[in-house]
């Protein structure tokens, strides 16, 4: 039986779930808002905006997907420019990896439910949750969805170099499944925001209240969100 909070959150998230559409850009001073699916349609314009040096924060707003290859293009441009990132509303799959590439990455303020869905191949073990989903670990995680695993996995600096090469050289493969992964949620309340983490196996569809609650998965402790 669902808790009242679970029912309310599931209904709220379903009502706020945006329709899928191609990516769009909206320049707001030093903030560049990216909405829609990261399908590569505006990647060149995105890179050109960041190249000006005037952008300080990239805001991903209600972006529900895209390919691993395009996610890497956004992430590479964000890392190269050293900008911060912000997730407002729902940021899933490709959006999540691009978001984690920011120098600082935070959820947006306001009264909306913020959700960050990071794809994973299966239910994470406790040891997996200890690893940070940013920096070199983020590159390796993205490579898992693009290139088939090698017979012998390198470690250390070689692993990062090989992962980066795989992300850039491998043909795109839609290996992540819609609505499957670790979901970090920030919900507004009268007493401030409440943060929860879940594992979603994809069978729940848009009813994210059916996802499994994870313990010891605080997004700040894991580096998914920065202070």
């Amino acid at each position: 039986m669902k808790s009242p909070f679970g029912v309310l959150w599931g209904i709220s998230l379903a009502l706020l779930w945006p329709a899928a559409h191609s990516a769009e850009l909206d320049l707001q001073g030093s903030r560049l808002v990216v909405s829609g699916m990261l399908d590569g349609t505006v990647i060149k314009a995105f890179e050109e905006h960041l190249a000006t040096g005037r952008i300080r924060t990239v805001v991903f707003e209600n972006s529900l997907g895209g390919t691993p290859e395009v996610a890497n293009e956004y992430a590479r441009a964000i890392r190269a420019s050293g900008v911060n990132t912000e997730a407002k509303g729902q940021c899933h799959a490709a959006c999540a990896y691009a978001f984690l590439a920011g120098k600082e990455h935070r959820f947006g303020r306001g009264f909306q439910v913020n959700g960050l869905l990071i794809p994973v191949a299966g239910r994470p073990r406790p040891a997996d949750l200890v690893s940070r989903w940013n920096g070199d670990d983020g590159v390796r995680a993205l490579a898992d969805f693009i290139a088939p695993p090698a017979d012998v996995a390198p470690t250390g600096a070689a692993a990062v170099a090989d992962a980066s090469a795989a992300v850039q050289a491998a043909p795109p493969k839609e290996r992540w499944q819609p609505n499957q992964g670790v979901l970090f949620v920030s919900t507004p309340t009268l007493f401030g925001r409440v943060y929860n983490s879940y594992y979603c196996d994809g069978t729940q569809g848009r009813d994210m209240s059916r996802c499994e609650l994870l313990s010891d998965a605080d997004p700040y402790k894991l580096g998914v969100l920065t202070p």
Side-chain angles (χ1 to χ4, degrees):
M1 182 177 179
K2 298 178 183 177
S3 67
F5 170 76
V7 173
L8 178 60
W9 177 60
I11 294 173
S12 298
L13 197 55
L15 291 175
L16 293 173
W17 204 286
H21 59 85
S22 296
E24 297 178 357
L25 302 180
D26 182 18
L27 181 60
Q28 302 177 0
S30 64
R31 294 162 63 87
L32 181 60
V33 180
V34 184
S35 59
M37 183 178 297
L38 302 188
D39 55 3
T41 55
V42 297
I43 183 60
K44 295 303 180 184
F46 178 79
E47 293 171 339
E48 290 171 358
H49 277 299
L50 294 191
T52 66
R54 294 193 292 268
I55 304 302
R56 294 291 176 264
T57 303
V58 171
V59 181
F60 291 102
E61 183 172 11
N62 292 327
S63 179
L64 296 184
T67 67
E69 183 184 52
V70 174
N72 177 63
E73 293 185 41
Y74 275 87
R76 187 166 58 235
I78 289 170
R79 280 193 295 268
S81 61
V83 298
N84 299 326
T85 53
E86 180 180 305
K88 187 175 182 180
Q90 301 306 305
C91 177
H92 295 191
C95 175
Y97 279 115
F99 166 80
L100 291 173
K103 182 178 181 180
E104 297 177 351
H105 27 92
R106 302 186 176 98
F107 276 155
R109 297 179 179 179
F111 296 102
Q112 75 283 339
V113 175
N114 295 321
L116 184 76
L117 181 68
I118 303 177
V120 294
R123 188 189 187 286
R125 300 167 301 174
D128 297 329
L129 293 175
V130 175
S131 299
R132 295 167 64 90
W133 268 300
N134 61 1
D136 296 341
D137 289 331
V139 174
R140 283 194 291 268
L142 179 56
D144 289 342
F145 288 94
I146 296 181
D151 293 336
V152 179
T155 58
V160 177
D162 286 357
S164 298
V167 169
Q168 297 181 37
K173 296 181 180 180
E174 193 68 43
R175 295 183 62 189
W176 51 47
Q177 300 300 315
N179 305 328
Q180 179 182 359
V182 176
L183 177 67
F184 297 94
V185 176
S186 170
T187 307
T189 70
L190 294 177
F191 307 101
R193 283 191 169 269
V194 174
Y195 293 86
N196 286 291
S197 304
Y198 302 84
Y199 170 64
C200 305
D201 63 9
T203 62
Q204 76 287 332
R206 293 188 175 185
D207 183 5
M208 299 308 227
S209 63
R210 293 170 52 195
C211 298
E212 177 186 355
L213 181 66
L214 296 175
S215 59
D216 298 324
D218 181 271
Y220 286 101
K221 291 181 180 179
L222 298 180
V224 171
L225 298 178
T226 55

